[in-house]
């Protein structure tokens, strides 16, 4: 197979599709455009998003370009269990944030970012650590989505990779710039409806274009024993477990998620997150199966680039109408997440940087909105530049999630335990990130005492991950018991074994080290924090309220 065999649209057709999509999206946002924008509406829609828009926005935001391309890569690499590991754990992590999100909202009902809550709890240094990590994560997310656009356009048209990147960047910025988060939520709903409709058509169309289930049955002979195993240890250790750990960090540390948590009406939080969990899992697992189909037909990705798998499958086996629908599907998915990243970064700079640290809770609303929009422009420019390097999506996804892993325990502990101090939070994150980098990039040889130490710290991290999940749904006592027993059991399993799985080792170490440092420093302090102070210090920046949105 070679690139010349693939169906390509003409330049004019692709440009028409892109103009129709982004032009239509822009016109949709004109329905909510106001002459004088409200700062709280720009950041969190005045905390009044209803169930329908909330669930759709959460689902569309979580289903980004990496959900398609990463799930397909997982299916192609690890076989039958690959898409399940990608979609199931990602869906579970949407649900995971729910119990902790209720606590965040209870402590700071008027918050726009999680950083504002942490500022009220610890002060500027901890808040800026969280804000910086979120900005870094959102920049990389933008890069990933723009990269996906470039790969799609370059495979399905004569246009270059760079042209696809630039068009996506300009298009997303055009409809998000004025109304911010409100525009993101409104367009998410429309984009999700389109994605669901197209996905329902595309997945069976590819299957039957290949010859139906019988063809895939014949293709089983091309799979290795691990790829054919639904419970493949190779898939679990190299994909499932690292991704599980990474998306747990995403659920807690990502501002695009917490922004929707603070925007949804409090009485709609539970159904919103449950619905988004189901919607994400169903769509992503299905689309990941396209990568498995590519594996079973013996397809080789163009230039060895896994990002090309889904575009190749669609362009090879489907007629032009379906290829056009697929084009809209991917553009919609990457745009829904890219506009969320722009909204998240603008809120962070507006609230965490300007509102709290420069204006000291007395910001100028006009200047605040200007700063938010300027942030979107700068972030888009950076994302477009970085996307030009065309990095592997799955690797970047795991890397960013692992970096956020160092923040998870300090954030959650700060919201439940009154002994956690600013020093404990700060040093926990710094130590977790440092040890993660040492392990991830193998700056020390993974042998002898060093390897055993790192594996034991990773076992602690595994206990923390399982313990936090148990704590969220079953309470503090059960959480502590699960964490302790899991860490002990994992210690026997990890020593002498986990050193061969660098990504998982490094990811778990970020959790383990940050937890040990946070708990250790907190226990040295005798002071206790009054959680009622948080609500008093986290304010709305504009008293004007908009009508509720359903």
């Amino acid at each position: 197979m070679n690139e010349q065999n693939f169906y390509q649209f003409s330049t004019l057709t692709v440009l028409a599709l892109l103009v129709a999509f982004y032009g239509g999206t822009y016109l949709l946002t004109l329905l909510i455009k106001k002459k004088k924008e409200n700062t709280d509406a720009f950041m969190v829609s005045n905390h009044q998003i209803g169930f329908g828009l909330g669930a759709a926005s959460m689902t569309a935001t979580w289903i980004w370009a990496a959900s398609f391309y990463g799930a397909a890569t997982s299916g192609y690499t690890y076989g039958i269990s690959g898409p399940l590991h990608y979609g199931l754990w990602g869906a579970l992590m949407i649900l995971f944030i729910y119990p902790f999100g209720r606590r965040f909202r209870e402590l700071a009902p008027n918050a726009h970012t999680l950083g504002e809550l942490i500022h009220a709890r610890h002060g500027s240094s901890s808040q800026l650590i969280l804000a910086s990590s979120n900005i870094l994560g959102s920049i990389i997310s933008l890069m990933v989505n723009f990269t996906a656009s470039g790969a799609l356009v370059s495979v399905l048209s004569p246009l270059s990779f760079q042209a696809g990147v630039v068009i996506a960047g300009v298009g997303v910025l055009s409809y998000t710039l004025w109304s911010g988060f409100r525009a993101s939520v409104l367009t998410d709903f429309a984009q999700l409806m389109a994605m669901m409709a197209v996905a329902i058509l595309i997945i069976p169309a590819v299957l039957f274009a290949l010859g139906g289930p019988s063809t895939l049955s014949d293709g089983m002979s091309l799979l290795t024993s691990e790829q054919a195993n639904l419970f493949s240890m190779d898939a679990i250790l190299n994909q499932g477990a690292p991704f599980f750990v990474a998306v747990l960090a995403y659920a807690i540390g990502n501002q695009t998620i917490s922004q929707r948590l603070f925007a949804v009406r409090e009485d709609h939080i539970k159904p919103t997150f449950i619905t988004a969990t189901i919607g994400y899992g169903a769509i992503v697992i299905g689309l990941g199966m396209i990568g498995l189909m590519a594996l079973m037909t013996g397809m080789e990705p163009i230039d060895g680039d896994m990002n090309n798998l889904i575009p190749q499958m669609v362009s090879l086996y489907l007629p032009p109408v379906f290829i056009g629908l697929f084009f809209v599907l991917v553009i919609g998915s990457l745009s829904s997440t890219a506009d969320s990243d722009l909204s998240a970064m603008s809120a962070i700079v507006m609230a965490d940087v300007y509102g709290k640290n420069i204006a000291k809770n007395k910001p100028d609303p006009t200047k605040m909105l200007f700063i938010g929009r300027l942030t979107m422009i700068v972030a888009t420019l950076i994302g477009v530049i970085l996307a030009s390097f065309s990095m592997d999506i799955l690797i970047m996804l795991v890397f960013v999630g692992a970096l956020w892993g160092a923040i998870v325990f300090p954030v959650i502990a700060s919201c439940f335990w009154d002994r956690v101090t600013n020093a404990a939070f700060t040093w926990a994150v710094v130590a977790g990130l440092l040890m993660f980098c040492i392990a991830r990039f193998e700056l020390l040889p993974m042998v002898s005492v060093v390897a055993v130490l790192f594996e034991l710290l990773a076992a602690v991290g595994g206990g923390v991950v399982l313990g936090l999940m148990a704590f969220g749904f079953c309470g503090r006592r059960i959480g502590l018991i699960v964490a302790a027993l899991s860490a002990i059991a994992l210690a026997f399993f990890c020593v002498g074994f986990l050193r061969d799985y660098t990504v998982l080792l490094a990811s778990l170490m970020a959790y383990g080290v940050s937890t040990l440092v946070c708990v250790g420093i907190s226990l040295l302090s005798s002071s206790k924090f009054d959680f009622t102070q948080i609500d008093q210090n986290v304010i709305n920046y504009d008293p004007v309220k908009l009508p509720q949105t359903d």
Side-chain angles (χ1 to χ4, degrees):
M1 295 180 181
N2 56 64
E3 190 167 355
Q4 283 70 32
N5 297 129
F6 301 150
Y7 180 88
Q8 287 194 332
F9 290 114
S10 67
T11 300
L12 182 61
T13 301
V14 168
L15 290 177
L17 286 172
L18 290 168
V19 170
F21 177 84
Y22 286 118
T25 307
Y26 175 76
L27 292 175
L28 183 63
T29 61
L30 293 181
L31 297 175
I32 59 171
K33 186 174 181 179
K34 294 182 176 295
K35 185 175 181 180
K36 185 175 182 180
E37 191 59 75
N38 178 300
T39 55
D40 291 306
F42 189 87
M43 290 188 281
V44 288
S45 292
N46 295 107
H47 316 283
Q48 294 299 315
I49 293 293
F51 164 67
L53 286 178
S57 182
M58 181 68 73
T59 305
T61 297
W62 205 247
I63 299 177
W64 55 331
S67 301
F68 292 173
Y69 291 17
T73 298
S74 185
Y76 187 86
T77 305
Y78 301 109
I80 294 173
S81 64
L84 297 177
H85 282 301
Y86 197 101
L88 181 61
W89 301 132
L92 183 61
M93 289 308 104
I94 301 177
L95 186 63
F96 173 80
I97 194 179
Y98 161 68
F100 298 110
R102 291 296 298 268
R103 176 63 172 173
F104 299 157
R105 192 67 180 269
E106 175 189 342
L107 292 175
N110 295 319
H112 310 84
T113 70
L114 190 56
E116 287 182 301
L117 189 158
I118 296 301
H119 181 275
R121 177 69 173 86
H122 291 305
S124 295
S125 62
S126 296
Q127 177 206 26
L128 292 177
I129 286 176
L130 185 60
S132 299
S133 69
N134 266 291
I135 290 175
L136 174 62
S138 290
I139 286 290
I140 294 178
S141 176
L142 274 179
M143 179 201 72
V144 167
N145 284 286
F146 293 160
T147 297
S149 176
L152 179 71
V153 169
S154 64
V155 169
L156 298 184
S157 80
L159 291 172
S160 67
F161 173 87
Q162 287 74 17
V165 169
V166 172
I167 292 171
V170 174
V172 171
L173 180 63
S174 67
Y175 70 81
T176 313
L177 186 63
W178 186 264
S179 300
F181 180 76
R182 293 192 302 120
S184 176
V185 171
L186 179 63
T187 55
D188 281 346
F189 183 84
Q191 289 161 352
L192 179 64
M193 295 303 102
M195 283 191 285
M196 291 176 64
V198 175
I200 291 171
L201 295 174
I202 289 289
I203 297 169
V206 172
L207 174 60
F208 287 102
L210 291 172
S214 61
T215 301
L216 297 185
S217 179
D218 296 338
M220 288 291 291
S221 61
L222 298 177
L223 306 185
T224 66
S225 58
E226 281 293 316
Q227 290 173 332
N229 183 5
L230 184 62
F231 303 100
S232 166
M233 286 302 296
D234 183 44
I236 292 173
L237 292 171
N238 287 297
Q239 168 63 49
F243 189 63
F244 176 84
V245 174
V247 294
L248 168 60
Y250 267 73
I252 298 299
N254 194 333
Q255 166 64 13
T256 63
I257 304 301
S258 57
Q259 190 170 22
R260 280 153 181 77
L261 170 69
F262 289 121
V264 173
R265 280 169 43 189
E266 193 165 359
D267 57 325
H268 289 165
I269 291 177
K270 183 176 181 178
T272 294
F273 279 82
I274 291 176
T275 303
T277 298
I278 297 171
Y280 173 91
I283 295 174
V284 171
I285 291 174
L287 289 166
M289 292 299 175
I290 296 179
L292 177 61
M293 295 178 202
L295 176 64
M296 289 181 163
T297 57
M299 171 179 282
E300 294 291 335
I302 297 174
D303 300 326
D305 187 353
M306 293 293 186
N307 296 341
N308 290 327
L309 275 175
I310 292 185
Q312 282 179 248
M313 286 291 287
V314 172
S315 65
L316 274 172
Y317 294 107
L318 295 184
V321 172
F322 279 90
I323 298 173
L325 291 175
F326 166 75
F327 189 88
V328 173
L329 171 70
V330 178
I331 292 296
S333 70
L334 67 88
S335 298
S336 67
T337 303
D339 61 39
S340 298
D341 286 317
L342 292 180
S343 298
M345 282 187 282
S346 66
I348 289 171
V349 176
M350 290 168 71
D352 294 348
V353 178
Y354 174 67
K356 292 296 182 185
N357 291 287
I358 297 178
K360 305 299 182 184
N361 259 10
K362 297 180 180 179
D364 177 348
T366 302
K367 183 182 293 185
M368 199 174 199
L369 286 169
F370 172 78
I371 290 172
R373 290 173 179 138
L374 180 62
T375 299
M376 289 185 176
I377 296 171
V378 173
T380 300
L381 180 61
I382 294 174
V384 167
I385 293 172
L386 292 179
S388 300
F389 293 104
S390 188
M391 300 179 186
D392 184 89
I393 287 176
L394 198 57
I395 291 175
M396 295 305 303
L397 183 68
V398 173
F399 180 78
V400 176
L403 287 176
W404 271 332
I407 294 174
V408 172
F409 182 85
V411 167
I412 293 177
S414 296
C415 295
F416 288 90
W417 189 19
D418 57 9
R419 293 278 295 274
V420 179
T421 64
N422 181 50
F425 185 103
T426 303
W427 287 110
V429 175
V430 171
L433 290 177
L434 177 63
M435 294 299 286
F436 163 76
C437 290
I438 292 174
R440 181 66 183 87
F441 301 110
E442 299 185 59
L443 300 180
L444 292 176
M446 289 297 154
V447 295
S448 188
V449 177
V450 172
V452 173
L453 175 61
F454 281 22
E455 287 167 336
L456 290 175
L457 290 172
V460 173
V464 170
V465 171
L466 297 175
L468 285 175
M469 292 191 67
F471 169 53
F473 292 105
C474 303
R476 184 175 305 182
R477 180 174 297 179
I478 297 298
L480 289 173
I481 293 173
V482 169
L485 294 179
S486 299
I488 294 171
L490 287 171
F492 287 100
F493 174 77
C494 290
V495 173
F497 174 77
L498 198 59
R499 66 193 66 180
D500 296 326
Y501 299 90
T502 305
V503 174
L504 181 57
L505 173 69
S507 300
L508 290 175
M509 275 189 61
Y511 284 89
V513 172
S514 66
T515 299
L516 291 174
V517 172
C518 184
V519 171
I521 296 179
S522 296
L523 290 175
L524 296 176
S525 172
S526 59
S527 62
K528 293 187 177 183
F529 181 78
D530 179 8
F531 283 109
T532 60
Q533 294 180 18
I534 293 179
D535 186 28
Q536 300 171 12
N537 294 323
V538 179
I539 63 171
N540 278 324
Y541 296 106
D542 195 319
V544 178
K545 293 291 184 180
L546 295 178
Q548 294 184 356
T549 306
D550 289 323

